[in-house]
Amino acid sequence: MGSHTPQYGSLHEFKKDDVFRNTLKVHPSVQFVIHSGSVYYNNESQNVENSHTPDGHINLYELNVNLDNRSYPIKIGYDLLMEAGKILFKEGLKGNCLVIADNNTSIFYDELRSSLDSNNINSTLTVVDSGENSKSLAQLKKLYSHCIKAKLDRQSFIIALGGGVIGDLAGYVSATYLRGIDFIQIPT
């Protein structure tokens, strides 16, 4: 979240010239943008650079995507990798998980694993080559094999450690393995 590149929700244009001095693309019904540690939501800014309160509690900004029975929250914070296990445990996730990363994002796994371990979440890492070439049936087959080796069941979940190709692959595998298991996206 500390990067200066905006991350955004969809492909509809939304003018925020007074904030960004350019046109960003976000979904008009959600209207949020994450930029330089701040969340701009419904034309108001909330700083997320300090995601912990003075007494040590995690301070998360939450957006809910309302899709009837397929609704889900988006939790936004800053520098929260060490808190990921606690956050996931509070959401009711436990047991085994498969972390899918690429050559670039796998460097963050040790910190994530420590957080997951301390919350009794067993994780297994699988690393795929970075880039669009990883979007293939051969890679998909390997990821299904890793799911089996990691002993994922219907209560298990998959974490995408990264965005882009990693998010696409992990999202597809989680949606199709055992007719769908939970999916967590941790963009870097």
Side-chain angles (χ1 to χ4, degrees):
M1 301 286 175
S3 110
H4 294 292
T5 303
Q7 298 178 16
Y8 38 87
S10 187
L11 297 178
H12 298 279
E13 289 186 9
F14 180 73
K15 205 79 149 138
K16 298 291 276 186
D17 285 336
D18 57 329
V19 178
F20 301 112
R21 296 190 183 101
N22 61 2
T23 302
L24 298 175
K25 298 176 180 188
V26 299
H27 193 283
S29 65
V30 176
Q31 296 183 2
F32 73 94
V33 175
I34 305 164
H35 187 271
S36 299
S38 294
V39 175
Y40 298 89
Y41 177 69
N42 287 341
N43 298 319
E44 294 181 22
S45 171
Q46 177 172 345
N47 191 313
V48 294
E49 295 241 358
N50 183 0
S51 294
H52 295 83
T53 61
D55 58 0
H57 288 89
I58 303 168
N59 184 24
L60 292 175
Y61 188 78
E62 186 170 316
L63 299 172
N64 287 304
V65 178
N66 296 316
L67 299 171
D68 296 325
N69 63 344
R70 297 177 302 129
S71 298
Y72 59 92
I74 299 173
K75 296 185 184 294
I76 302 166
Y78 183 79
D79 199 22
L80 292 173
L81 199 54
M82 280 301 297
E83 305 294 340
K86 185 186 301 182
I87 294 166
L88 295 173
F89 186 80
K90 282 183 178 182
E91 290 294 319
L93 296 169
K94 52 189 172 194
N96 296 330
C97 78
L98 180 67
V99 177
I100 301 174
D102 68 19
N103 310 29
N104 300 314
T105 63
S106 62
I107 62 170
F108 301 108
Y109 176 66
D110 287 340
E111 189 175 351
L112 176 62
R113 183 185 61 217
S114 175
S115 177
L116 295 170
D117 286 349
S118 66
N119 287 278
N120 297 315
I121 298 171
N122 305 313
S123 65
T124 302
L125 174 67
T126 186
V127 179
V128 301
D129 291 335
S130 54
E132 291 290 323
N133 289 337
S134 286
K135 290 184 185 179
S136 68
L137 290 175
Q139 186 62 61
L140 188 62
K141 181 180 175 183
K142 289 178 188 175
L143 290 172
Y144 287 134
S145 293
H146 288 288
C147 289
I148 294 166
K149 287 178 188 171
K151 299 181 179 167
L152 300 189
D153 58 25
R154 295 280 298 144
Q155 286 71 49
S156 300
F157 57 99
I158 292 176
I159 296 176
L161 186 54
V165 170
I166 294 303
D168 293 346
L169 282 170
Y172 187 83
V173 171
S174 67
T176 56
Y177 183 74
L178 297 178
R179 295 183 319 276
I181 60 175
D182 286 329
F183 169 62
I184 307 300
Q185 175 99 36
I186 303 177
T188 54

